[in-house]
Amino acid sequence: MSFLLLEDNEPQMIWDALNNAQIVFHPNYGSTGQINYAELQAVKREKEVILFLDRNLLSSLMSLTKNGDLKDEMEKRMIALLMLWSQMNQLPVSAGLAIMENASKGDDSLNAKIELKNFNEIFDFYPTQIWLYLADGRVDTIPKCNFSNTPYENTVIYHKSSDHFLMNYASMLHLVNLYRNSDLNPVEKVIAFLKWNFDNLLISQYINTYLILLFSDQNGIKAPKHAKSNVFERVDKGCINQAWDLTYLSNWSTFYWDESKMNEVFLFATADIMLKQIFINTHNGGDLFNLIDSVFPRKDADRIIQFYTEKMTNRQKPDFGEHPKRYFQSLIDKEKTQLKQSMGD
């Protein structure tokens, strides 16, 4: 950690700029992407606070430090602001989940370990002051980082899919099947998905929020990319990408769900508009039923809530057996087959 020299009003300006950007989240300390300074300092006195980056932010950071510049001016300043804010507050930054996403697509951990080593080298190469100058516009470019391009030495297997991703992937395939079904209205699609979810997988608060926002046609909420394509590979890729976005949230939730008993607090950074909306609508004061009431007409909302309540009564979780990944993969294969059949393949 290098020294950072700030004018009297600059610390507050940095905090205000970060909160205005709404890129750092936590269900208790930043449910709308606005972090309270006093609360964060109080938490830091008791626990280690760690900042997770999503894939898009990591990719932008790696590109900026490799080339010394980004084409998107706002994105460049935002990355600099995030780096400045994290180092100003002495927050370790983690890219583990983002590196895992890229590794899974290449089915290889070697490049992931190279990316991790390069990522760590950024913090030694750049003085904190340069992020201030880039964030406030005093400079437009930064020196290119002298990456070693050698693998980080650890035993982690980054390219193996997690249970969270596999469940989210199966869910997105089924959601797209319903999204493409012109015989069902939006409420019927919501109920059909919930029934499938209750019968086959664990319940995810983030998938439920996404489901409700999508089928109530909320601004900024889109189906997985290429959901209406007639080319299966394009639809499948869109499901994978959307599943990874949701995996950041579901994986992260395992860190904070029992945070009172842990020594760490994990913040999450993203600039993705849809991820922000999903998170905010999940954690900002209400519950799923409040969300359903607010986006559907009363009769439709009552129908969905009644179905959900009845299914939750005395519900038994599905049995994944001794090999959950096999169970999830079998479910994925089944959903792919149904999707292909609906496309006439």
Side-chain angles (χ1 to χ4, degrees), residues 97-327:
L97 292 177
I99 287 171
M100 189 180 297
E101 176 186 352
N102 213 35
S104 70
K105 295 177 180 178
D107 197 27
D108 173 49
S109 285
L110 178 60
N111 288 333
K113 293 183 179 184
I114 292 174
E115 184 174 46
L116 177 58
K117 182 69 177 296
N118 289 348
F119 169 74
N120 288 335
E121 289 171 351
I122 289 171
F123 296 88
D124 293 327
F125 185 81
Y126 294 102
T128 307
Q129 202 78 20
I130 203 166
W131 297 119
L132 171 64
Y133 292 161
L134 185 61
D136 69 11
R138 273 181 268 186
V139 300
D140 292 320
T141 62
I142 58 176
K144 299 177 182 180
C145 187
N146 297 322
F147 291 125
S148 64
N149 291 313
T150 58
Y152 188 88
E153 294 186 7
N154 64 22
T155 58
V156 176
I157 300 175
Y158 288 95
H159 65 278
K160 296 298 182 182
S161 296
S162 69
D163 290 355
H164 284 265
F165 169 74
L166 294 174
M167 286 191 282
N168 290 332
Y169 182 20
S171 297
M172 290 305 99
L173 288 166
H174 192 76
L175 182 143
V176 165
N177 264 312
L178 291 169
Y179 184 79
R180 294 167 61 96
N181 189 337
S182 58
D183 294 331
L184 300 177
N185 65 41
V187 174
E188 290 170 336
K189 291 177 181 181
V190 168
I191 290 176
F193 181 88
L194 290 173
K195 182 181 185 305
W196 174 87
N197 199 170
F198 277 118
D199 291 343
N200 292 283
L201 292 172
L202 302 178
I203 305 301
S204 166
Q205 59 182 342
Y206 297 116
I207 287 181
N208 279 347
T209 298
Y210 175 52
L211 172 76
I212 298 304
L213 294 175
L214 175 66
F215 286 118
S216 62
D217 198 25
Q218 299 302 303
N219 289 334
I221 302 296
K222 299 178 180 179
K225 197 171 182 180
H226 306 304
K228 289 292 185 71
S229 173
N230 290 321
V231 180
F232 172 77
E233 288 74 17
R234 298 186 76 193
V235 179
D236 186 44
K237 184 177 179 180
C239 289
I240 290 172
N241 289 338
Q242 188 64 36
W244 264 111
D245 283 348
L246 291 165
T247 297
Y248 285 109
L249 297 180
S250 62
N251 246 320
W252 174 42
S253 70
T254 65
F255 297 129
Y256 67 68
W257 76 275
D258 197 18
E259 209 167 64
S260 62
K261 298 179 180 179
M262 299 174 63
N263 295 320
E264 298 88 13
V265 168
F266 297 91
L267 308 178
F268 176 61
T270 183
D272 185 282
I273 293 175
M274 188 157 62
L275 273 182
K276 290 182 182 184
Q277 288 202 44
I278 292 171
F279 186 85
I280 290 170
N281 280 282
T282 300
H283 292 290
N284 191 26
D287 59 17
L288 180 65
F289 291 172
N290 296 133
L291 177 62
I292 294 170
D293 274 329
S294 67
V295 298
F296 280 107
R298 173 56 61 84
K299 186 177 179 180
D300 292 339
D302 288 346
R303 184 181 172 190
I304 296 169
I305 291 171
Q306 181 180 355
F307 176 83
Y308 195 99
T309 302
E310 290 175 353
K311 291 293 288 186
M312 282 297 290
T313 304
N314 299 320
R315 175 184 181 251
Q316 291 185 346
K317 295 179 181 179
D319 183 6
F320 301 149
E322 295 182 3
H323 304 284
K325 283 186 170 57
R326 293 182 190 175
Y327 175 94

Side-chain angles (χ1 to χ4, degrees), residues 30-93:
S31 62
T32 62
Q34 296 182 326
I35 307 296
N36 181 278
Y37 174 82
E39 288 182 352
L40 183 64
Q41 299 308 313
V43 172
K44 283 177 59 183
R45 287 192 289 270
E46 302 293 331
K47 301 174 183 287
E48 181 178 24
V49 180
I50 300 169
L51 180 67
F52 272 121
L53 303 184
D54 77 352
R55 182 68 224 177
N56 289 338
L57 288 177
L58 176 62
S59 294
S60 296
L61 174 63
M62 299 308 295
S63 180
L64 171 61
T65 52
K66 177 182 178 181
N67 301 306
D69 198 5
L70 286 177
K71 291 181 179 179
D72 189 312
E73 186 77 10
M74 290 184 62
E75 183 181 17
K76 176 173 61 178
R77 306 300 180 192
M78 180 184 66
I79 293 296
L81 173 65
L82 185 61
M83 292 292 286
L84 169 64
W85 180 81
S86 63
Q87 294 189 35
M88 181 180 78
N89 291 283
Q90 298 182 322
L91 304 182
V93 182

